[in-house]
């Protein structure tokens, strides 16, 4: 395995009875990278992640995570990867601090529990019992447990589902902090703004296959796509697509003799290209 790859997966296959969940998934994640899996419900993201975490057996294909096959790797490998589970549900009478300290003991070189609690924004709740936490706060605690072992790679499967907007932004800072510290992250999310804000590269998964892997700004040819210039003119709202938006705006400025009313210049958003890739048309039909 090339040493700069923390995940190397080729041709992953998995079926559940007659359902083909993975039909040849290829993924290569570099050390220190935030890599996001995007895809509609049932696309195969969780199955992929669980195979890479070592929780699910694959039917075929090749997988290496931190240089080892997740199906055969032992306890020392498990301590090097962080998994975010709802792990504290059976210990709800513990306080946040007690719970994080408890889980820290499972690892050979844990982080300081107090620092981890601060990183996930739970310092004010450190002395509170887990059962008294809100849903979002519990999710933060799950993340704290996933990172207390100072893993080299963290798997985050829809980590911010149910978070309020402020908590999501705070969580993004946690992820950025981990990435700055050199931790690799595999993130699945349904929030395209989350992938855009955090991911170095994204892979779009559909029907058990990777459709494209690219940095969010390049996905689906976004960078080369024409811009849509829109403005309000004598004939109402008008739009034009162009590869030279600056020239068009200058022309409009001249023709209006100054400020162009309600001017906008837009490129296709990540959501636009994503929906196209998964075969969603404006009429709401899946191809
Ligand atoms: P979501 O965005 O809804 O979480 P996903 O991309 O994570 O979806 P998976 O959970 O990997 O998708 O599911 C892929 C396919 O495999 C789906 O058709 C799902 O119904 C099926 N599947 C997943 N787990 C099982 C299971 N334990 N038994 C049977 N079928 C399963």
């Amino acid at each position: 395995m090339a040493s700069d790859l923390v995940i190397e997966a080729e041709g992953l296959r998995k079926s559940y009875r007659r359902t083909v969940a993975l039909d040849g998934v290829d993924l290569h994640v570099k050390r220190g990278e935030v890599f996001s899996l995007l895809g509609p419900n049932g696309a195969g993201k969780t199955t992929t992640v669980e195979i890479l975490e070592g929780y699910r057996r694959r039917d075929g294909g090749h997988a290496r995570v931190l240089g080892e096959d997740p199906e055969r790797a032992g306890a020392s490998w498990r301590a090097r990867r962080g998994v975010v589970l709802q792990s504290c549900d059976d210990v709800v009478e513990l306080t946040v601090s007690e719970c994080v300290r408890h889980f820290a003991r499972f690892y050979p070189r844990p982080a300081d529990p107090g620092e981890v609690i601060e990183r996930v924004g739970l310092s004010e709740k450190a002395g509170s019992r887990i059962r008294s936490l809100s849903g979002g706060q519990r999710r933060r605690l799950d993340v704290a447990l996933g990172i207390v072992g100072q893993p080299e790679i963290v798997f985050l499967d829809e980590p911010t589902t149910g978070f309020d907007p402020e908590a999501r932004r705070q969580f993004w800072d946690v992820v950025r902090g981990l990435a700055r510290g050199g931790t690799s992250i595999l993130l699945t999310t349904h929030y395209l703004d989350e992938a855009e804000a955090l991911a170095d590269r994204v892979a779009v998964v559909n029907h058990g296959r990777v459709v494209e892997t690219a940095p969010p700004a390049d996905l689906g040819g976004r960078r080369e796509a024409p811009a849509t210039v829109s403005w309000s003119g004598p004939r109402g709202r008008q739009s034009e697509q162009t590869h030279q938006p600056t020239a068009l705006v200058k022309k409009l400025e001249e023709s209006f003799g100054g400020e162009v009313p309600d001017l906008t210049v837009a490129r296709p958003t990540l959501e636009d290209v994503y929906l196209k890739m998964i075969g969603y048309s404006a009429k709401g039909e899946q191809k």
Side-chain angles (χ1 to χ4, degrees), residues 205-265:
V205 182
N206 200 16
H207 302 305
R209 281 172 169 270
V210 174
V211 183
E212 187 179 333
T213 303
D218 292 340
L219 202 79
R222 264 176 97 191
R223 214 185 277 275
E224 290 81 38
T228 304
V229 178
S230 306
W231 67 96
S232 296
R235 288 182 281 138
R237 194 80 184 139
Q238 283 175 259
S239 292
E240 201 174 309
Q241 291 210 322
T242 173
H243 284 283
Q244 276 100 31
T246 312
L248 176 56
V249 168
K250 273 191 192 152
K251 216 173 85 188
L252 286 166
E253 189 188 15
E254 278 163 23
S255 75
F256 279 97
E259 201 60 37
V260 183
D262 307 322
L263 175 71
T264 59
V265 180

Side-chain angles (χ1 to χ4, degrees), residues 15 23 33 54 64 73 78-79 81 94 102 106 111 114 117 224 236 251 261 268:
S15 295
D23 189 19
E33 193 171 36
R64 285 278 179 282
R78 285 198 292 276
R81 55 93 170 110
L94 293 183
H102 172 71
F106 299 150
I117 291 168
E224 290 81 38
K251 216 173 85 188

Side-chain angles (χ1 to χ4, degrees), residues 50-56 58 63-65 68-74 77:
E50 289 183 355
I51 287 172
L52 298 172
E53 288 171 338
Y55 289 130
R56 215 168 266 271
R58 59 188 185 272
R64 285 278 179 282
V65 175
E68 296 191 45
D69 183 337
E71 269 183 26
R72 300 202 190 99
W77 175 83

Side-chain angles (χ1 to χ4, degrees), residues 14-17 19-22 39-48 50 56 157-158 188 190 205:
K14 176 77 185 174
S15 295
Y16 303 98
R17 293 171 186 263
T19 307
V20 178
L22 303 187
N41 293 135
K45 304 179 298 295
T46 299
T47 303
T48 302
E50 289 183 355
R56 215 168 266 271
D157 195 359
E158 299 183 30
T188 68
H190 285 294
V205 182

Side-chain angles (χ1 to χ4, degrees), residues 8-280:
E8 192 184 30
E10 275 154 21
L12 290 186
R13 311 188 79 83
K14 176 77 185 174
S15 295
Y16 303 98
R17 293 171 186 263
R18 276 192 215 148
T19 307
V20 178
L22 303 187
D23 189 19
V25 165
D26 298 325
L27 281 184
H28 296 91
V29 178
K30 294 175 213 158
R31 189 168 289 277
E33 193 171 36
V34 180
F35 191 98
S36 180
L37 286 182
L38 299 176
N41 293 135
K45 304 179 298 295
T46 299
T47 303
T48 302
V49 170
E50 289 183 355
I51 287 172
L52 298 172
E53 288 171 338
Y55 289 130
R56 215 168 266 271
R57 298 185 78 83
R58 59 188 185 272
D59 299 338
H62 166 92
R64 285 278 179 282
V65 175
L66 302 172
E68 296 191 45
D69 183 337
E71 269 183 26
R72 300 202 190 99
S76 63
W77 175 83
R78 285 198 292 276
R80 293 169 60 205
R81 55 93 170 110
V83 172
V84 177
L85 300 167
Q86 307 280 339
S87 321
C88 264
D89 279 1
D90 47 356
V91 287
V92 291
E93 294 306 321
L94 293 183
T95 66
V96 167
S97 179
E98 285 165 348
C99 180
V100 178
R101 277 172 210 289
H102 172 71
F103 277 86
R105 282 192 217 109
F106 299 150
Y107 296 95
R109 44 167 213 117
D112 175 68
E115 266 175 36
V116 172
I117 291 168
E118 195 182 326
R119 260 169 118 173
V120 301
L122 278 180
S123 292
E124 279 176 25
K125 295 282 174 185
S128 304
R129 290 196 195 284
I130 292 164
R131 80 173 135 70
S132 72
L133 300 181
S134 73
Q137 289 164 344
R138 279 218 194 181
R139 197 77 187 124
R140 289 171 187 223
L141 175 59
D142 297 333
V143 173
L145 301 180
I147 65 174
V148 72
Q150 305 211 71
E152 291 168 54
I153 182 164
V154 179
F155 294 93
L156 296 169
D157 195 359
E158 299 183 30
T160 61
T161 300
F163 278 26
D164 67 41
E166 190 190 1
R168 284 181 70 217
R169 292 304 187 281
Q170 286 169 355
F171 179 81
W172 292 2
D173 288 339
V174 174
V175 174
R176 289 184 182 121
L178 286 169
R180 268 199 304 277
T183 310
S184 312
I185 292 159
L186 184 64
L187 166 82
T188 68
T189 183
H190 285 294
Y191 299 116
L192 296 165
D193 59 340
E194 188 159 287
E196 187 139 45
L198 297 177
D200 297 305
R201 289 189 303 148
V202 301
V204 175
V205 182
N206 200 16
H207 302 305
R209 281 172 169 270
V210 174
V211 183
E212 187 179 333
T213 303
D218 292 340
L219 202 79
R222 264 176 97 191
R223 214 185 277 275
E224 290 81 38
T228 304
V229 178
S230 306
W231 67 96
S232 296
R235 288 182 281 138
R237 194 80 184 139
Q238 283 175 259
S239 292
E240 201 174 309
Q241 291 210 322
T242 173
H243 284 283
Q244 276 100 31
T246 312
L248 176 56
V249 168
K250 273 191 192 152
K251 216 173 85 188
L252 286 166
E253 189 188 15
E254 278 163 23
S255 75
F256 279 97
E259 201 60 37
V260 183
D262 307 322
L263 175 71
T264 59
V265 180
R267 300 269 180 190
T269 64
L270 183 57
E271 185 161 299
D272 293 334
V273 296
Y274 165 79
L275 289 172
K276 203 166 159 192
M277 278 184 167
I278 62 163
Y280 182 86

